[in-house]
Amino acid sequence: PMEAEAETRLLLQEARESIEAARSYRRELQQRLRGLQQARKQIKESATLTRDVLEQHFNDLKGTLKKLLDERLVSLLQEVDTIEQESIKPLDECQKLIEHGVSTADDLLREGESAVHGDVGQENEKLCSFTKKALHIQLDSLPEVPSLVDVPCLSAQLDDCLLTILKNQIFRHGTVASRPPVQLEEFVEKPGGILVRWCKVDDDFVPQDYRLQYRKSTASHFEDVYVGSETEFIVLHIDPNVDYQFRVCARGDGRQEWSPWSVPQIGHTTLVPHEWTTGLEGYSLSSRRNIALRNDSQSCGVLYSKAPTYFCGQTLTFRQVLTGLLLIETVGQPDRRDSLGLCVEQQNGYDSLQRDKAVCISTNGAVFVNGKEMTNQLPAVTSGSTVTFDMEAVQLGSSSTEGGNFKLRVTISSNNREVVFDWVLDQCCGSLYFGCSFSYPGWKVLVF
């Protein structure tokens, strides 16, 4: 009986495992079925859209071609009218001259016949008057009449090769592609933003520029967010935990038109945006509180982030913001106490991050770790400079052997140069504050 009970339990266990495997198998099949349905829907919808685009395009072409042909016909007819009028005008003038001469000759003939057959007493006077009048009219002077070979004979020259050229061009006009030449490849969450990467999937396509668009999933229209030659872009001003749709297209080398759009994909970020804290007298902030301007106030101190929003593994970027043409005023006068960096906690009363539990770079390029200057130095921070901080945890020591030391590997980059070092702390830090301090006004910094 015990063996039978054990065998029953084993069979029940195997049956339950088989049932669970069948459920999992069914779920996978249903998921694949949904995938097939989505693929079928995409093919059907894209085919319908492509038909509509083709029909609309060729209808537009036919309308445009008819308009152009009508305009050309009107132009040629006007040219015929102009030539006809300009050629007939001198003939009309010559006809009037000849008709006037005929009328004058008729009058002269009547006068001559009257003089010849008139009374004998008046014959000499009439004959004398007629002879003088005939000499004055110059009966041997006749107007020139052009021959038919000298006057215009209008005709139309219509080259039938136009139809051949149009036929060849029309038969080569337009293509149908089974997939766009570029596709979205990856979305990387950033604080208040998304790093979007894309790639070329058509080996024969040579891209010159890319065009990235996005929209909230609830919006009806896409908007441009990037046009350029790079294959990645950080889209800022993204609301956390909100879905956004992205699409990308490309323009071939030497061409003006854009390729078809990639398949739209959804991206989002769960990371809240980096923000400077408000209320520090020496700094003015933008509406989104991600840009800080050192104003003319005499008050000084460290401007910290609103919260410890930097996490290990992220990249924190400070960028000098340039506005207008006043590049020098926008940068401000450098000072050795200036600092851009990260710290474990906010500590009031300091005028720089060059202190304990902080790493920073000064505007002259000096790097400080826990208040001590390193021998390695980066280029000075100037107009348009970008400074990035990357950190990763490399060691968490035990309190008995290493005093609870927490080690972070820090990489600071500026102007295509970087320094790498280990930052040892006496406590584990899952997140850090960022901050800046400037002694003189004019500095304007964007953080993302």
Side-chain angles (χ1 to χ4, degrees):
M2 293 179 62
E3 291 178 357
E5 185 179 351
E7 184 178 357
T8 301
R9 286 198 300 270
L10 180 60
L11 290 173
L12 285 173
Q13 179 64 27
E14 290 177 351
R16 292 190 184 97
E17 291 177 354
S18 297
I19 291 172
E20 185 60 34
R23 286 174 178 164
S24 177
Y25 180 65
R26 184 179 62 182
R27 285 195 299 269
E28 289 292 333
L29 288 176
Q30 289 173 340
Q31 183 175 355
R32 281 165 171 72
L33 182 60
R34 286 192 294 270
L36 285 175
Q37 291 171 345
Q38 291 176 350
R40 182 186 297 274
K41 181 181 178 182
Q42 177 174 301
I43 293 172
K44 292 285 187 181
E45 290 181 349
S46 63
T48 300
L49 178 61
T50 302
R51 290 189 192 97
D52 293 341
V53 169
L54 288 172
E55 290 176 357
Q56 182 64 46
H57 177 73
F58 277 85
N59 284 335
D60 292 342
L61 277 181
K62 286 189 287 187
T64 302
L65 284 174
K66 183 179 183 307
K67 181 181 177 182
L68 291 174
L69 289 172
D70 289 343
E71 290 177 354
R72 180 58 178 164
L73 175 59
V74 169
S75 174
L76 291 173
L77 291 176
Q78 289 176 346
E79 189 173 345
V80 171
D81 293 342
T82 301
I83 295 175
E84 181 185 23
Q85 292 171 5
E86 291 178 351
S87 302
I88 290 293
K89 184 178 179 180
L91 299 182
D92 290 342
E93 293 175 352
C94 184
Q95 181 176 342
K96 290 179 181 179
L97 183 61
I98 291 174
E99 290 174 348
H100 177 71
V102 171
S103 176
T104 302
D106 288 341
D107 294 341
L108 189 61
L109 282 173
R110 285 193 296 270
E111 185 176 346
E113 290 174 353
S114 175
V116 171
H117 300 94
D119 297 334
V120 178
Q122 299 178 348
E123 182 177 353
N124 290 338
E125 183 180 351
K126 287 183 178 181
L127 288 174
C128 183
S129 174
F130 169 73
T131 303
K132 289 181 179 179
K133 190 174 185 179
L135 291 173
H136 179 72
I137 292 177
Q138 296 181 351
L139 296 177
D140 60 344
S141 177
L142 296 173
E144 185 72 22
V145 177
S147 63
L148 293 180
V149 296
D150 294 330
V151 298
C153 181
L154 279 71
S155 63
Q157 288 77 45
L158 301 173
D159 195 345
D160 291 339
C161 72
L162 175 63
L163 293 177
T164 304
I165 296 172
L166 287 176
K167 181 179 177 181
N168 293 334
Q169 291 293 329
I170 289 172
F171 284 167
R172 291 198 301 266
H173 180 67
T175 57
V176 176
S178 60
R179 56 179 54 85
V182 291
Q183 292 285 5
L184 294 168
E185 184 179 32
E186 184 182 15
F187 297 102
V188 180
E189 295 186 35
K190 295 291 182 180
I194 301 174
L195 172 61
V196 183
R197 292 193 175 102
W198 53 89
C199 63
K200 182 171 70 77
V201 295
D202 185 351
D203 294 335
D204 297 328
F205 184 77
V206 181
Q208 174 181 316
D209 291 309
Y210 297 99
R211 181 182 179 188
L212 178 67
Q213 289 189 336
Y214 83 127
R215 70 178 180 185
K216 279 188 178 181
S217 294
T218 56
S220 57
H221 298 290
F222 283 90
E223 60 180 273
D224 288 339
V225 69
Y226 172 77
V227 175
S229 59
E230 301 295 329
T231 56
E232 66 178 35
F233 183 75
I234 296 180
V235 183
L236 298 177
H237 305 156
I238 295 293
D239 295 330
N241 303 309
V242 174
D243 286 341
Y244 288 81
Q245 278 192 327
F246 295 85
R247 65 182 186 181
V248 67
C249 66
R251 181 162 49 197
D253 189 19
R255 303 183 69 89
Q256 295 296 322
E257 70 278 5
W258 292 99
S259 73
W261 290 105
S262 65
V263 177
Q265 295 189 36
I266 293 178
H268 71 277
T269 182
T270 59
L271 306 176
V272 297
H274 291 315
E275 294 182 8
W276 299 103
T277 190
T278 58
L280 190 62
E281 185 178 350
Y283 293 87
S284 304
L285 306 182
S286 63
S287 59
R288 290 185 176 268
R289 296 183 292 279
N290 60 340
I291 299 177
L293 169 65
R294 179 66 168 92
N295 55 36
D296 295 332
S297 173
Q298 296 300 318
S299 175
C300 61
V302 178
L303 176 65
Y304 293 101
S305 57
K306 180 180 178 181
T309 51
Y310 176 81
F311 297 89
C312 291
Q314 295 180 356
T315 297
L316 182 72
T317 303
F318 295 98
R319 178 175 295 166
Q320 292 298 323
V321 180
L322 307 181
T323 57
L325 299 176
L326 305 176
L327 301 183
I328 298 177
E329 284 82 355
T330 312
V331 173
Q333 179 181 344
D335 186 273
R336 185 172 180 80
R337 295 168 298 172
D338 296 340
S339 60
L340 288 166
L342 294 162
C343 58
V344 175
E345 58 191 7
Q346 296 180 351
Q347 292 184 9
N348 297 323
Y350 289 90
D351 61 357
S352 176
L353 285 174
Q354 300 170 15
R355 59 168 176 81
D356 189 35
K357 297 184 179 180
V359 292
C360 67
I361 177 176
S362 177
T363 50
N364 63 9
V367 178
F368 291 84
V369 184
N370 290 333
K372 297 181 180 179
E373 184 175 354
M374 295 182 61
T375 55
N376 293 336
Q377 185 164 332
L378 292 169
V381 178
T382 58
S383 353
S385 290
T386 299
V387 179
T388 62
F389 287 77
D390 292 277
M391 295 191 185
E392 59 175 332
V394 293
Q395 177 183 349
L396 180 60
S398 63
S399 58
S400 59
T401 59
E402 299 183 45
N405 290 338
F406 180 66
K407 185 183 294 185
L408 294 174
R409 182 147 298 155
V410 182
T411 302
I412 306 178
S413 303
S414 176
N415 293 336
N416 297 321
R417 288 182 56 187
E418 66 179 29
V419 294
V420 182
F421 57 90
D422 288 340
W423 181 22
V424 179
L425 298 169
D426 58 5
Q427 63 187 63
C428 178
C429 295
S431 59
L432 298 167
Y433 290 88
F434 57 86
C436 69
S437 65
F438 299 102
S439 301
Y440 298 99
W443 292 92
K444 197 173 186 180
V445 181
L446 164 69
V447 61
F448 61 91

